[in-house]
Amino acid sequence: MSILQQTTIDAIRNGEAPLLASWISNLEQGGALRDSRISKEEVSVQAKDFLRLLVAASATGDAADLAKSEWADSRQFLESLSRSRALQGFDSHHTAYFIFSLKRPLFDLLRSTYEHDPQVLTSELWAISELLDTLGMHTIRAFQKSREDVIMRQQEELLELSTPVVKLWDGVLALPMIGTLDSQRTQVVMESLLQRIVETGSEIAIIDITGVPTVDTLVAQHLLKTVTAIRLMGADCIISGIRPQIAQTIVHLGLDLGGIVTKANLADALALALKRSGLSVVKAG
């Protein structure tokens, strides 16, 4: 690719209004404006802003290298556009189509501008095509990164929500766990639980694994690490939710959970915790 001819840049600048109208018409025909998540007015403003950035960058910048400073504003615009589309729930095709749908209006403009000079027309058509392809690919990459950031943040939020630390009684905390326990989740569990132990001054922590589907060697190791960290904080730990299937699995695997107090359900674990705290629950009256 190379710098566009000044005649091409002038033609785009002078024909901005009909070019934008044709571009918006293409977007409408392609179904890009049928979604209620984005309005035609918003897309029109974005199209106008991008076209002016494109003209400004093309006047001084070599389209062969979008990393150059001349394209900084265009890159920033496309990255912002991709991020907003990702947050709105659009896919990469919808986002890239915003750029690629500009090809036909520009091609039509170039044909009318260089209708008597086919050699220059061919050269400029190729330059514009490569430029929009490069900008479109940059948009897709920016969208994918934004989407990955959204997914990662959602996973972190779900992970935090799936490991709530509940205060059952003064000095007694419970952590009901649901789903698979892996290294990343174990780290979140330990951080959340240890932080709550410090905040509340609790002396007993109950880890309920009723919602953990399976217990293997790796899961047992994660539990042991968590229990060890809790003990280092000066608190005791009780593991509840040891179902018959899990108990058999632990025995068959030869896992050593010696020194760890286990209970079949959360109610039994709470009763033991209250007993250790010198408390008892009796029926009123």
Side-chain angles (χ1 to χ4, degrees):
M1 291 184 289
S2 60
I3 298 177
L4 297 177
Q5 290 196 14
Q6 187 61 44
T7 302
T8 299
I9 297 172
D10 291 341
I12 296 174
R13 183 182 290 113
N14 296 331
E16 178 182 298
L19 186 60
L20 284 172
S22 180
W23 186 8
I24 296 301
S25 176
N26 266 6
L27 288 170
E28 286 182 316
Q29 292 175 11
L33 302 182
R34 297 174 189 167
D35 199 300
S36 60
R37 289 172 292 183
I38 189 168
S39 66
K40 181 178 179 179
E41 291 72 20
E42 182 179 355
V43 174
S44 298
V45 171
Q46 292 172 343
K48 186 175 182 179
D49 291 343
F50 174 72
L51 190 60
R52 290 182 175 179
L53 288 172
L54 178 66
V55 169
S58 299
T60 57
D62 188 344
D65 188 2
L66 292 184
K68 290 185 177 180
S69 59
E70 292 89 342
W71 294 97
D73 291 339
S74 299
R75 292 196 310 270
Q76 185 177 358
F77 174 87
L78 293 176
E79 289 161 7
S80 176
L81 176 77
S82 299
R83 185 164 51 253
S84 65
R85 292 289 198 276
L87 293 175
Q88 289 172 310
F90 290 104
D91 57 21
S92 58
H93 173 270
H94 183 282
T95 306
Y97 186 67
F98 175 80
I99 301 297
F100 293 137
S101 60
L102 177 58
K103 275 191 175 185
R104 184 171 180 177
L106 280 176
F107 287 0
D108 291 341
L109 176 66
L110 291 177
R111 274 196 293 266
S112 63
T113 302
Y114 298 105
E115 58 182 347
H116 301 301
D117 195 341
Q119 185 173 356
V120 176
L121 172 62
T122 302
S123 175
E124 291 300 283
L125 285 175
W126 181 257
I128 282 288
S129 181
E130 282 199 311
L131 172 59
L132 292 180
D133 286 345
T134 304
L135 291 169
M137 292 304 299
H138 181 78
T139 303
I140 292 175
R141 287 192 296 270
F143 177 89
Q144 290 174 335
K145 183 180 184 305
S146 299
R147 192 63 183 157
E148 288 170 0
D149 292 341
V150 170
I151 293 173
M152 185 175 297
R153 187 176 68 252
Q154 290 174 340
Q155 288 176 337
E156 292 174 352
E157 292 172 353
L158 287 174
L159 189 60
E160 292 176 358
L161 290 173
S162 65
T163 54
V165 181
V166 182
K167 183 177 180 180
L168 296 180
W169 205 271
D170 288 338
V172 181
L173 297 177
L175 177 64
M177 303 194 64
I178 300 174
T180 304
L181 186 64
D182 55 22
S183 300
Q184 181 184 4
R185 194 170 179 203
T186 300
Q187 185 65 30
V188 175
V189 167
M190 283 197 292
E191 291 177 358
S192 300
L193 193 50
L194 296 179
Q195 183 63 33
R196 287 288 286 162
I197 288 174
V198 172
E199 293 174 355
T200 62
S202 299
E203 298 179 351
I204 299 176
I206 301 172
I207 299 178
D208 183 69
I209 62 171
T210 303
V212 177
T214 59
V215 173
D216 54 19
T217 305
L218 186 61
V219 172
Q221 290 175 350
H222 292 324
L223 288 173
L224 288 173
K225 290 179 182 178
T226 304
V227 172
T228 301
I230 292 171
R231 287 176 173 172
L232 288 173
M233 295 296 295
D236 289 331
C237 184
I238 303 171
I239 297 179
S240 64
I242 306 293
R243 304 186 302 279
Q245 298 88 339
I246 290 181
Q248 292 177 21
T249 301
I250 291 174
V251 171
H252 290 320
L253 291 175
L255 302 176
D256 183 16
L257 297 182
I260 300 178
V261 178
T262 60
K263 288 295 179 181
N265 52 61
L266 183 58
D268 292 341
L270 177 58
L272 177 60
L274 292 177
K275 182 178 180 182
R276 287 186 174 182
S277 301
L279 303 170
S280 62
V281 179
V282 297
K283 289 184 178 181

